[in-house]
Amino acid sequence: MVYENKTHQSVIDWLLGEDEVNPSVRYFTLVNILMEDPESQEVVRAREKVMSCGLVPEILSKQHSDGYWVEPGAGYRPKYTATVWSLIMLAQLGADGSVPSVWKASDYILDHTRRKEGPFSIYATQTGAVHCLQGNLTAALIDLKMINEPRLTEAIDWMARSATGEGFGSVGEKEISPHYIRSGISGPGLLCSANDHQPCAWGAVKVALALGKIPFKKRSPQVNSAITVCKDFLLSKDPAVADYPHPYAKKPSGSWFKFGFPVFYVTDVLQNLDALLTLGLAGDQRLKNAIELVESKQDDAGRWKMDYTYNGKTWVEIEKKGQPSKWVTLRALSVLKRYYQ
């Protein structure tokens, strides 16, 4: 297997190396690749360093004392420095959700980026409550230790039922609450106006990833039904080809095949695999072609390069495009390890 045969110790040593800019890589390598006890002294020290140097404290230094970034409100704009993006990035960097400044950001999102009935939204209304944002924020908040927060429970329920259609009225059925709308999630089965009212694979990946992070004991029947919807849709095509409904172009988006970090609403084959593996598909032959695609992008030294970045758009710079990437290598090895486990 590629994971065992081409992952040289030198690659693991590279990921474990002390890095004042990207200390999160060492932390995730210990926990996700080497499977170290999260309470061990080495892991605890690595987590403390995430919060004390590099990217996380730099992002937090830009935070307003009230918990938001740039300006108050729903926090979607400006891309990619407003509250929504900063929180998603903090979660992907492994920030500690119990730290007061991080908790305040999570609390702010739950109060200002949600409509009262539950959904996260670009505008804090049902308009703009798209699947990708739902999934991204839910996944981030779970990672930031907010799983027991009732406001998040409400958002999860709305997200799950918006995918399945349970309890939702059709577009125009205003007497039914909630009901689908033309300017957002527009029907069951992951339909979205952002994808010309067809099922959105980018959104499905985000929702699947978020639902997969919910502990089994906390998964409601609605969550389990939504997991089935996401899984069936994402497996309806070969994830290596990614020819999901894409009405604005004849071919699948090239972004599926470009691996980078962080991962916002655009997604890639790696995150699709991550989501499906989180839903229990380790070793599934339907993922084999996508796994081989990931393996094919590994260089002779056992590393993966950075195909895209958000450098110049976010608060911090993360590695260089076209160069071997600790973050992409970490993402790829985590997927391969779990597939072959």
Side-chain angles (χ1 to χ4, degrees), residues 205-227:
V205 169
K206 311 300 182 177
V207 172
L209 189 65
L211 295 176
K213 290 177 180 288
I214 300 171
F216 284 102
K217 292 183 178 179
K218 290 185 174 292
R219 293 183 184 179
S220 66
Q222 291 76 23
V223 164
N224 286 327
S225 294
I227 285 174

Side-chain angles (χ1 to χ4, degrees), residues 4 10 34 107 230 290 306:
E4 294 177 347
S10 61
L34 300 181
D107 184 65
C230 291
M306 178 75 75

